[in-house]
Amino acid sequence: MNVLELKLGMVCQTKKGIGVVSWIDAQDRAVYLSDRENKDQHIAVSFDDLQDEPQLHQKADVYY
């Protein structure tokens, strides 16, 4: 995944699971994701741990 395309509120997939981008720490090259069901629970992942899953970013039901 291209790090320049990251935006707050975007849904991302990692090896640790799927979450919503809460904040981006460019200095430490980390992204903090909140759980989709429990907004109080966050996980921190490296930029390198993000996995590109295009269907997660669609606003409408689009299938490949």
Side-chain angles (χ1 to χ4, degrees):
M1 162 167 262
N2 186 352
V3 176
L4 297 175
E5 296 174 355
L6 284 174
K7 297 188 181 354
L8 296 179
M10 176 183 249
V11 179
C12 290
Q13 180 174 348
T14 70
K15 294 176 183 176
K16 295 180 181 181
I18 296 173
V20 179
V21 176
S22 298
W23 68 92
I24 303 166
D25 187 351
Q27 185 176 8
D28 291 336
R29 297 188 45 80
V31 177
Y32 296 87
L33 305 174
S34 62
D35 190 313
R36 295 189 331 176
E37 286 135 25
N38 182 2
K39 301 294 183 197
D40 294 331
Q41 185 176 11
H42 294 354
I43 56 172
V45 294
S46 166
F47 286 168
D48 299 327
D49 292 337
L50 293 174
Q51 299 173 344
D52 194 12
E53 183 58 54
Q55 286 186 326
L56 290 175
H57 309 299
Q58 301 295 331
K59 293 185 184 217
D61 291 335
V62 177
Y63 297 96
Y64 297 95

